[in-house]
Every structure is written in C-alpha cells, then in structure tokens.
C-alpha cells in the first residue's frame, strides 16, 4: 500500500461524522452567523482548541467578507488553506549527520513511544540503513522486552540494560558502542513521564546532555510522541518537554481511531513544533510521513 | 489536578458573587465564560451545551433572581449541576454473591489498563482484605503479559496467564483457577483496542460471555480530548460498562474526560489513578471533586488522607511534648516529613477551602517544596546536642551547618528564628490552655472566623 493510501485509510475511519456534518453545512446554502458557530463547534470537537478555533474562524469570517465570497466551495478552500498554512512542514534532516544520526523519542505515558521506535527502525532498515535501537525505557515493567521483540521482528540491533538501571548510563554505553561500530541511525526510546513531574523531566534533560557529549551534534531529532486522542493538555505537554530538551518534531499516533488529532494545529501555531510522522495502526509498517495538505483535507473532507 | 479549570471557573463566579442583583445579561456573560472554560478543559462540546443550558435555565429562574445573594446562588447551582454531571455519590464495586467476583478491565491502547489492574488488585487486597488473582489476556502487544507478571510479583499478587491459547480461553482458565484456589476477585487485563476495530471488539464480547463479569471497567486517560465520549460510547454498547477508572490524573490535565464520560455513558467514575506507584489509586468522590473544582476545598479528603498517613502514636507523643514544651528541632523535622507524606503541597492547598483561589505568588511561595528540603538538610547537619538545645549554636557551629547542608548562614539563622518563634507560640498556647483561655480564643472572640 502506498504511504498516501495508508494515510488516507487511517484518517478515513476517523472522519466520517465530522465530514458529514461539514458537508451538510456547506450544502445548507447560507453563510450566516449560525454557519460560523457550527464551524467553530466542528473544529472544537476535533480537538483543535478554543483559542485557535476562534482565531481561524474569525479570520475566515473577515476574509470572506473582504473577498465578497458567496460560493461555499470557495469558503471551504479558504478554510483549508488556513489550516494547511498553520501546519507548515520542515524536512527531516537525516543528511546532516552521515553517521550515527540520533533520534530520541519522548512523551507522556502510553502515547506510543516504544511502538513508534520500532516503526521508525523498520522504516530506516527498509531504506537500507544500519539501525540501532536503544531500549531507554528502563522504568516500565517489560518495556525492554517489548522493544526487544520488535527489534527482532525488524531485524535491527538493540542495546539494553537491566530494568531499573539509569537511562543516562545506558545511553552513554549505547552511543559509545555506536561510535565504535558506526550505525547510520540510532533510535532511542525513553520511559513515559508526565510533563509536570519535575524530577523526571530533569532526568530527560540529563539524558539529552549525555547524548550531546557522546556524539557531536546529537540528538539530531527529538520527537515528542503525542496520542491523537489527547485534548488540550497536549499543548502543556509540548511546552514542558520543549523546555526540558529542544523538540524538533511530533509523531502523532493512533490516528486510526476516531480522534482527529486537531490539537497539532494548536501546537504548531502556538509553539511552532511541526508534525513529522503519523501512526496509523498497530503493525510495524503503520507509520507515514506527515503531509499537512492531506491532513487538513482529511480533517475537513 | 483540575487546577486550570478550577481557576477559570472561580474567576468567573467571583465576578457574579459580588453583585447584589443579577440580570440576564450578567448570567449570559458568565455562561459564555463557563462554556469556554469547560471546552478548554476538554469537556465534550455536547456535554458543555447541556450543562450550560441547565445552569442557565436555573440561574435566570425565580430561585436566583429573588434571592438576596444571587451570585452565591449561581455558584450553588453550578456546584450542584457539576456534582450531578459527575455522578452524585461515590460508587463502589459490586461483588458476586458466591464464588470469585470477575472484574474485566477494557480500554484503548496506552490508557493504563495493566497498571490500573494491578493498582486495583493491590487496593482490594490492602483495604478489603481480599486475595485477588490477576489474569493477563493481552497476547498481542509484545511484552504485555510479562509487564503484568512483573508488576504482580513486585507486590505479591497472584498471577495467571497462558500464552498458548486465545484470550477467551485464558480468562476461562483464570476463572477456574480462582474457583479452585479460592482467589477473589479475578481481574482480567485485556488488550488495548480501538473501539472501531470490530474484530477486537467482538473478542471482548466473547470474553464477557465466557466469564460473566460483575464489573466491566473502562480505563480512560484523563488527558483524552473530545474523542473520549466516542470511545466510551462504543465500549459501552459492546460490553456494557459498569464503571470507569480515570488514569494519569497526576498530570496537569483539566480532566474534562471525567465530566464527559459519566454524562454520556451514565457509568460512574469509580477510581482515579494519581501516580506511578502501585498504591496511587483512589476511590472517586464526585461531590468532593466538584467542590474542589469550584475552589470550595475538600476538607473531608484532606482529613481522610491525614488520618491514613499520620502516625497516631507519634501525634500523641508530639502533643505531650508540646504540652511540656519539649518540642525540638528533631520533632520539627518529623512534622515536615509527615506533611510531605500527605502529597504535593499543591494538592493539599487545593483541598483547603479558598486555598486554590489564592494569588499565584502566594501559592508559589507555599508550593516551593525545595524550602522543605533545605530545612531538612539544615537540621540533618546538626549534631544531636544542637538539635535538642539550639542555644549552643554559636557562629562557628552555624557556619559548619551551613556548609554541611549546602545553605548559607542566613538560611540557618532564618530557620532558628522561625523555630524559636514557634516555641514561643506553643508556650503561650499551653499557658493559655492551663487558664482555660484557649477555649475563649477558639470561640472566635478575637475576630477569628471559627
């Protein structure tokens, strides 16, 4: 299946109710106050967030007036473009480091870090890269085993330590090994942590510093894994994690459900962290690069 | 938890409170604010609509307009409606009349089912004196069975699984084992699944048919957004939920899921997960939560918490010491330790009426837990003699303590000053007590509100 189809399939299941309503709205004929209110409700129900929704709809309203738009199809295109613009995308920078390109995955508990680490490992392996996985979640019971099984399935190497050991020490060892043996891509898992837990965020910052000392310029990517079902709290998550270590992107997981993940529009708008990948299922190949236009279109039909 | 929502609602309601008379416009403005606050807290938009219109209808009705304190009346209505939204009374688990009680745990991926299953079992063992069995029925996610086994073993709970057979059979075998060995209840930890995955949903239907659970608990991540109700509705339709466990409430989530799920499914929130440790599971009290959200505090929970954590023997000892004026720096340190056991200062503050509504700067001062650590470090750096008799602390000793505890001499001096003031206060109190003056003091003659 092509990535594009995979992406669409993931979103297709999640959008039906939303799109029907929007279509009904666009087919109802009139652009009036009620229309905008309904539009607001639709965006809010997609977790886009109150602030961002009011901003988008407010601007839309003004522009429709200025441009004297009468066709609903035009209004729809305008709205679409607004959202796409908010989701501007930055290219991945694998090329920056020819060897030992380090990608770290961080996020709250249960967002899907370990699974995403495995999916990324498979993706790069398919591209013919030499990949190393670092089993950095030494806290959750059996998290190491979980990644180990994935690593075996993907056919990539993994570095692990006993459950309960210090993750910074593990990263230190792992990156020394990587330096000695030379990998193309090093993918580091971390334990899930709530972003308001000061000590755990501190621990994360320590890992970050250790990684930076071991491999110059690393970590090259720090991806925040966000569950698409997350509501407004995702903004707080992005803010806090970004303070602990500089995030370079977001992986939006579990888009195969009914959640639309609209919160990423707010995160991109307010904090400026772009989505880079989306997770669309439990299988290893269910990972696709993020495409803002596809996302926005799927979001609005 | 819930602090952001609480702050917003309190501000809105404070504006109403001050007014002697309310007109419809005031109410409408307040309702709009409440609507936004709830939406920002991820309360489902349909639930928000219903909630706001219910409050509005009552607020513009006779009971408010004719009242002498209409603002207060609105606060009361919001509180009542919010309690109703969350399910009025605390609901407990039901158990089977004979044989082991089967409890099924279901939910989306990553919501916290496995951790919650273990926490629930540990809770029932500790507070109910039961002997539970945990059954791992997640054969899909790599490492899931081992995760449950490791967690069960870490707190000495019975565990069963069989990776050779399908989840329905695992659960049946687990139930049989419980019947044979007399384990009760049996908690089935099922695999995380999407509510629109028909194949997986029919699997839990089959499990339900096979084990006839007394309780089917949906685990919901408190950080979930608008989608929470979709998932909850689908699970409810498929397996008929009896309750909800709300997890990750120790985050700074505004917890709208808690308000919405109950409203949409009619299933009460029975437990909340408030931390990563196994005993971080609490029964959910909707009425107390509502009053905490509205800044009315939750003294009941605070007292219960204090009773559970404070060592009674030690408390008695302390009372005796206070009476005899033998309160030392050692006791002071003990007290700080016990206060810490109560939970984070923010939680405690929010449970005190009005505490949540304090200005940010005041809160920050009270919340700065590093102060605690500093005080503890200073006291720990003193010798026994110094702790019992601070009078011996000359400047050289103070310098030694400061460098030993990584603080400054000023810090040490400040602590000693505070301590001596405290001692003076205790002295006054006990001398008043002797004269019976304390009673008069307590009754509020001197402008005390209580």
């Amino acid at each position: 299946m092509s990535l594009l189809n995979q992406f669409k399939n993931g979103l297709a299941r999640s959008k039906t109710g939303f799109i029907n309503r929007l279509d009904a709205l666009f087919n109802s004929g009139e652009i009036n106050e009620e229309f905008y209110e309904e539009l607001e409700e639709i965006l809010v129900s997609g977790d886009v967030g109150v602030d961002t929704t009011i901003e988008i709809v407010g601007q839309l309203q003004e522009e429709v007036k200025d441009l004297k738009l009468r066709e609903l199809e035009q209004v729809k295109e305008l709205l679409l473009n607004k959202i796409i613009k908010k989701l501007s995308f930055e290219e991945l920078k694998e090329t920056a480091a020819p060897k030992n390109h380090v990608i770290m995955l961080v996020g709250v508990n249960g967002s899907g870090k370990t699974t995403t680490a495995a999916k990324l490992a498979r993706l790069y392996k398919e591209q013919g890269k030499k990949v190393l996985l670092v089993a950095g979640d030494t806290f959750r019971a059996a998290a190491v085993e979980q990644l180990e099984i994935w690593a075996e399935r993907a056919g990539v190497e993994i570095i692990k330590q006993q459950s309960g050991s210090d993750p910074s020490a593990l990263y230190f060892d792992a990156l020394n090994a990587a330096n000695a043996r030379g990998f193309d891509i090093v993918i580091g898992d971390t334990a899930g942590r709530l972003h308001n837990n000061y000590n755990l965020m501190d621990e994360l910052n320590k890992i970050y510093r250790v990684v930076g000392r071991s491999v110059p310029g690393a970590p090259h990517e720090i991806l925040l894994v966000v569950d698409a079902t997350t509501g407004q709290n995702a903004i707080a998550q992005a803010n806090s994690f970004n303070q602990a270590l500089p995030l370079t992107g977001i992986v939006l997981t579990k888009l195969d459900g009914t959640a639309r993940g609209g919160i990423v529009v707010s995160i991109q708008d307010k904090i400026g962290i772009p989505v880079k990948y989306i997770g669309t299922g439990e299988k290893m190949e269910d990972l696709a690069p993020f495409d803002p236009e596809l996302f926005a279109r799927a979001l609005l039909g | 938890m819930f602090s952001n929502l609480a702050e917003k609602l309190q501000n809105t309601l404070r504006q109403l409170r001050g007014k002697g008379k309310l007109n419809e416009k005031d109410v409408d403005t307040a309702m709009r604010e409440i609507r936004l606050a709830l939406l920002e807290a991820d309360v489902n938009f349909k639930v928000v609509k219903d909630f706001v219109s219910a409050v509005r209808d009552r607020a513009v009705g006779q009971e408010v307009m004719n009242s002498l304190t209409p603002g207060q009346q609105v606060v009361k209505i919001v509180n009542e409606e919010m309690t109703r939204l969350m399910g009025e009374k605390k609901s407990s688990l039901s158990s089977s009349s004979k044989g082991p009680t089967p409890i099924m745990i279901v939910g989306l991926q990553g919501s916290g089912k496995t951790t919650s299953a273990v926490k629930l079992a540990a809770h029932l063992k500790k507070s109910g004196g039961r002997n539970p069995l945990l059954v791992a029925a997640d054969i899909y996610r790599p490492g899931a069975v081992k995760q449950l086994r490791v967690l069960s073993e870490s707190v000495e709970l019975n565990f069963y699984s069989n990776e050779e057979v399908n989840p329905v059979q695992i659960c049946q075998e687990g139930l049989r084992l419980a019947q044979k060995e007399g384990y009760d209840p049996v908690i089935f930890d099922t695999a995380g699944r999407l509510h629109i995955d028909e194949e997986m949903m029919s699997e839990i239907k089959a499990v339900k048919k096979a084990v006839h659970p007394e309780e089917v608990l949906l685990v919901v991540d408190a950080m979930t957004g608008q989608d929470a109700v979709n998932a909850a509705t689908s699970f409810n339709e498929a397996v008929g939920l009896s309750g909800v466990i709300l997890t990750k409430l120790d985050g700074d989530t505004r917890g709208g899921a808690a308000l919405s799920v109950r409203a949409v499914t009619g299933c009460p929130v029975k437990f909340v997960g408030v931390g990563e440790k196994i005993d971080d599971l609490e029964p959910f009290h909707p009425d107390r939560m509502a009053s905490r959200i509205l800044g009315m505090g939750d003294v009941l929970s605070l007292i219960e918490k204090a009773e559970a954590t404070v060592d009674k023997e030690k408390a008695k000892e302390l009372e005796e010491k206070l009476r005899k004026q033998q309160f030392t720096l050692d006791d002071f340190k003990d007290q700080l330790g016990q206060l810490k056991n109560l939970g984070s200062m923010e939680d405690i503050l929010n449970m005190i009426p009005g505490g949540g509504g304090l200005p940010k700067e005041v809160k920050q001062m009270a919340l700065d837990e590093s102060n605690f650590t500093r005080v503890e470090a200073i006291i720990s750096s003193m010798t026994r003699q110094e702790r019992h008799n601070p009078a011996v602390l000359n400047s050289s000793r103070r310098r030694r303590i400061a460098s030993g505890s990584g603080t400054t001499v000023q810090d040490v001096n400040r602590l000693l000053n505070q301590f001596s003031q405290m001692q003076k206060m205790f002295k006054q109190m006990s001398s008043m007590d002797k004269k019976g003056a304390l009673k008069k003091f307590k009754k509020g003659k001197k402008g005390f509100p209580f």
Side-chain angles (χ1 to χ4, degrees):
Chain A
M1 205 197 302
S2 79
L3 282 179
L4 195 139
N5 278 336
Q6 201 180 314
F7 186 96
K8 275 189 172 161
N9 268 1
L11 276 168
R13 281 198 277 177
S14 66
K15 66 189 183 183
T16 37
F18 189 51
I19 283 178
N20 288 343
R21 283 179 61 201
L22 205 68
D23 271 349
L25 203 61
F26 281 118
N27 293 332
S28 69
E30 233 185 307
I31 309 171
N32 52 21
E33 200 50 43
E34 212 174 305
F35 167 85
Y36 289 112
E37 255 172 45
E38 186 84 356
L39 204 55
E40 267 181 17
E41 208 158 82
I42 287 170
L43 289 176
V44 166
S45 75
D47 286 321
V48 172
V50 179
D51 285 356
T52 311
T53 296
I54 290 177
E55 189 197 316
I56 291 177
V57 175
Q59 283 176 3
L60 183 74
Q61 207 164 352
E62 263 173 40
E63 282 169 39
V64 167
K65 220 200 241 159
D66 288 350
L67 297 168
K68 300 199 171 60
L69 295 184
R70 302 214 182 279
E71 293 292 313
L72 283 159
E73 204 44 49
Q74 291 173 313
V75 180
K76 195 168 163 182
E77 277 306 305
L78 194 61
L79 174 64
L80 200 61
N81 282 328
K82 285 202 151 315
I83 296 172
I84 294 170
K85 231 159 99 193
K86 284 210 187 291
L87 290 168
S88 68
F89 181 62
E90 218 177 281
E91 281 303 312
L92 292 176
K93 26 176 202 185
E94 281 118 86
T95 44
K99 279 282 166 204
N100 289 341
H101 180 82
V102 181
I103 304 173
M104 265 177 80
L105 295 164
V106 300
V108 298
N109 315 60
S111 55
K113 288 171 296 304
T114 305
T115 308
T116 302
K119 286 177 176 177
L120 277 173
R122 180 204 159 266
L123 190 78
Y124 285 114
K125 166 93 180 168
E126 294 277 288
Q127 294 172 6
K129 299 261 166 61
K130 195 176 167 196
V131 182
L132 175 70
L133 275 170
V134 183
D137 184 354
T138 53
F139 178 79
R140 179 164 58 93
V144 174
E145 281 80 358
Q146 183 184 353
L147 194 62
E148 224 176 344
I149 295 168
W150 282 122
E152 201 177 302
R153 287 188 198 166
V156 301
E157 285 189 59
I158 182 168
I159 287 195
K160 53 166 186 164
Q161 272 179 14
Q162 264 179 343
S163 186
S165 55
D166 175 21
S168 302
L170 166 67
Y171 267 89
F172 183 79
D173 287 352
L175 291 175
N176 275 347
N179 278 333
R181 291 164 53 205
F183 287 86
D184 297 311
I185 307 279
V186 179
I187 300 168
D189 190 16
T190 60
R193 65 201 74 221
L194 289 179
H195 51 287
N196 60 343
N197 187 320
Y198 181 81
N199 293 335
L200 290 179
M201 294 309 278
D202 220 32
E203 179 191 271
L204 201 57
N205 180 268
K206 186 178 168 196
I207 299 175
Y208 168 70
R209 281 177 282 140
V210 166
V211 170
R213 270 202 300 272
S214 306
V215 177
H220 306 88
E221 288 277 354
I222 305 169
L223 301 175
L224 177 70
V225 181
V226 176
D227 182 335
T229 60
T230 315
Q232 302 309 301
N233 191 251
I235 296 174
Q237 290 173 22
N239 254 329
S240 308
F241 275 99
N242 199 31
Q243 268 162 26
L245 71 186
L247 299 175
T248 60
I250 284 172
V251 182
L252 190 64
T253 61
K254 307 183 199 173
L255 260 182
D256 46 336
T258 50
R260 292 190 293 274
I263 191 60
V264 295
V265 181
S266 282
I267 295 180
Q268 169 73 314
D269 193 36
K270 288 185 174 156
I271 315 174
I273 303 167
V275 184
K276 296 203 167 165
Y277 288 101
I278 58 165
T280 52
E282 282 183 317
K283 289 191 297 299
M284 240 187 188
E285 55 273 17
D286 294 334
L287 182 80
F290 178 73
D291 179 329
E293 183 167 349
L294 270 181
F295 183 84
R297 276 195 191 280
L299 201 70
L300 296 176
Chain B
M1 64 181 94
F2 294 111
S3 54
N4 271 318
L5 174 59
E7 208 176 293
K8 287 232 159 97
L9 286 182
Q10 284 165 37
N11 280 341
T12 306
L13 293 173
R14 195 174 301 135
Q15 281 160 12
L16 280 188
R17 224 176 249 161
K19 297 205 166 163
K21 220 175 163 81
L22 284 187
N23 56 33
E24 242 176 84
K25 213 177 130 220
D26 295 331
V27 174
D28 280 341
T29 317
M31 289 308 125
R32 187 181 154 73
E33 299 274 315
I34 291 177
R35 179 173 162 260
L36 287 180
L38 291 173
L39 281 176
E40 271 171 30
D42 289 323
V43 180
N44 184 265
F45 72 100
K46 284 184 204 140
V47 177
V48 172
K49 246 184 179 170
D50 294 347
F51 178 81
V52 170
S53 82
V55 173
R56 194 187 177 280
D57 284 351
R58 286 182 61 189
V60 296
Q62 293 299 318
E63 64 173 309
V64 171
M65 294 306 176
N66 291 345
S67 157
L68 283 174
T69 51
Q72 288 287 5
Q73 206 65 22
V74 174
V75 176
K76 192 177 145 236
I77 292 170
V78 173
N79 187 21
E80 281 170 11
E81 290 293 329
M82 197 166 272
T83 311
R84 179 146 71 197
L85 202 59
M86 288 193 286
E88 316 252 345
K89 282 244 152 60
K90 177 194 147 202
S91 25
S92 38
L93 294 176
S94 54
S95 34
S96 306
S97 47
K98 65 174 200 238
T101 305
I103 299 174
M104 229 173 115
I105 310 281
V106 299
L108 299 173
Q109 291 97 335
S111 52
K113 287 172 300 302
T114 303
T115 311
S116 298
V118 178
K119 284 179 176 177
L120 182 63
H123 171 81
L124 292 172
K125 185 179 177 184
K126 195 176 158 195
S127 68
R130 318 254 299 258
N131 187 17
L133 173 70
L134 282 159
V135 178
D138 181 357
I139 55 169
Y140 305 100
R141 183 168 62 89
V145 172
K146 184 162 183 212
Q147 183 185 356
L148 187 64
R149 186 191 309 134
V150 171
L151 282 175
S152 307
E153 281 165 5
S154 73
V155 284
E156 289 169 12
L157 288 163
N158 310 303
F159 169 85
Y160 179 78
S161 192
N162 178 1
E163 281 175 85
E164 308 286 297
V165 298
N166 69 42
V168 179
Q169 285 165 299
I170 296 174
C171 292
Q172 281 170 326
E173 289 174 11
L175 187 60
R176 271 199 293 275
L177 177 70
Q179 282 158 347
K180 204 175 115 214
E181 303 287 332
Y183 299 138
D184 175 49
V186 200
I187 299 175
F188 304 99
D189 177 30
T190 64
R193 64 201 73 217
L194 279 174
H195 51 291
I196 49 172
D197 186 335
E198 280 166 29
E199 208 178 300
M200 290 295 282
M201 289 307 275
S202 58
E203 184 201 276
I204 43 170
K205 282 188 208 166
V207 169
K208 184 177 178 183
K209 226 171 157 184
V211 299
H212 301 288
E214 195 68 38
E215 290 276 350
V216 183
L217 302 174
L218 177 71
V219 178
V220 179
D221 183 334
M223 294 180 284
T224 315
Q226 297 286 329
D227 196 50
V229 298
N230 297 334
T233 310
S234 305
F235 272 101
N236 194 27
E237 278 164 7
V239 286
L241 303 173
S242 66
V244 169
I245 300 179
L246 203 62
T247 60
K248 306 180 204 171
L249 262 178
D250 46 332
D252 56 359
T253 170
R254 292 174 228 180
L259 293 168
S260 320
V261 167
R262 147 76 221 219
V264 171
T265 61
C267 294
V269 177
K270 293 195 169 175
F271 291 94
V272 290
V274 291
E276 290 195 324
K277 290 194 296 296
I278 298 296
D279 51 1
D280 289 333
L281 183 83
E282 294 173 357
F284 181 72
H285 300 270
D287 43 348
R288 297 183 192 178
M289 193 54 82
S291 83
R292 215 189 286 188
I293 289 177
L294 295 176
M296 296 164 168
D298 180 6
V299 179
L300 275 177
S301 290
L302 185 60
I303 293 172
E304 273 174 19
K305 225 171 175 178
E307 276 179 347
T309 42
V310 172
D311 188 332
K312 287 211 178 84
E313 285 297 307
K314 272 196 174 163
K316 225 180 199 162
E317 216 175 280
L318 180 76
E319 212 185 307
E320 199 56 33
K321 276 185 179 166
L322 283 179
R323 209 178 291 281
K324 292 184 184 155
Q325 294 165 37
Q326 288 170 340
F327 186 69
T328 66
L329 280 161
D330 262 335
D331 302 318
F332 185 49
K333 196 176 136 212
D334 249 24
Q335 287 299 300
L336 282 182
Q338 294 211 6
L339 199 56
K340 263 184 163 171
N341 285 340
L342 274 179
S344 84
M345 284 311 287
E346 185 172 3
D347 278 350
I348 297 174
L349 207 59
N350 284 337
M351 284 192 253
I352 299 168
L358 287 173
K360 263 212 179 107
E361 303 77 52
V362 179
K363 257 191 188 172
Q364 239 146 29
M365 242 166 62
L367 297 184
D368 190 1
E369 282 170 43
S370 62
N371 272 336
F372 276 21
T373 326
R374 202 174 305 141
V375 168
E376 276 188 332
I378 293 174
I379 299 180
S380 303
S381 302
M382 295 178 183
T383 64
R384 245 188 104 149
Q385 187 205 1
E386 287 164 350
R387 284 183 230 179
H388 285 264
N389 183 16
V392 300
L393 286 164
N394 56 24
S395 60
S396 136
R397 281 176 191 260
R398 288 180 196 213
R399 266 201 304 278
R400 190 204 79 237
I401 291 164
S403 67
S405 56
T407 57
T408 62
V409 177
Q410 284 87 341
D411 287 328
V412 178
N413 288 342
R414 196 174 310 130
L415 169 68
L416 291 172
N417 274 336
Q418 282 169 353
F419 181 71
S420 80
Q421 272 167 18
M422 223 150 87
Q423 270 183 324
K424 246 183 238 161
M425 203 175 77
F426 288 141
K427 206 171 173 181
Q428 278 172 2
M429 273 167 67
S430 56
S431 67
M432 266 196 278
D433 204 16
K434 272 177 213 148
K435 292 177 202 152
L438 192 60
K439 271 185 199 150
K440 231 190 256 166
F441 197 56
K442 266 187 183 158
K443 268 185 192 155
K445 287 270 155 83
K446 293 196 173 158
F448 274 75
F450 39 84

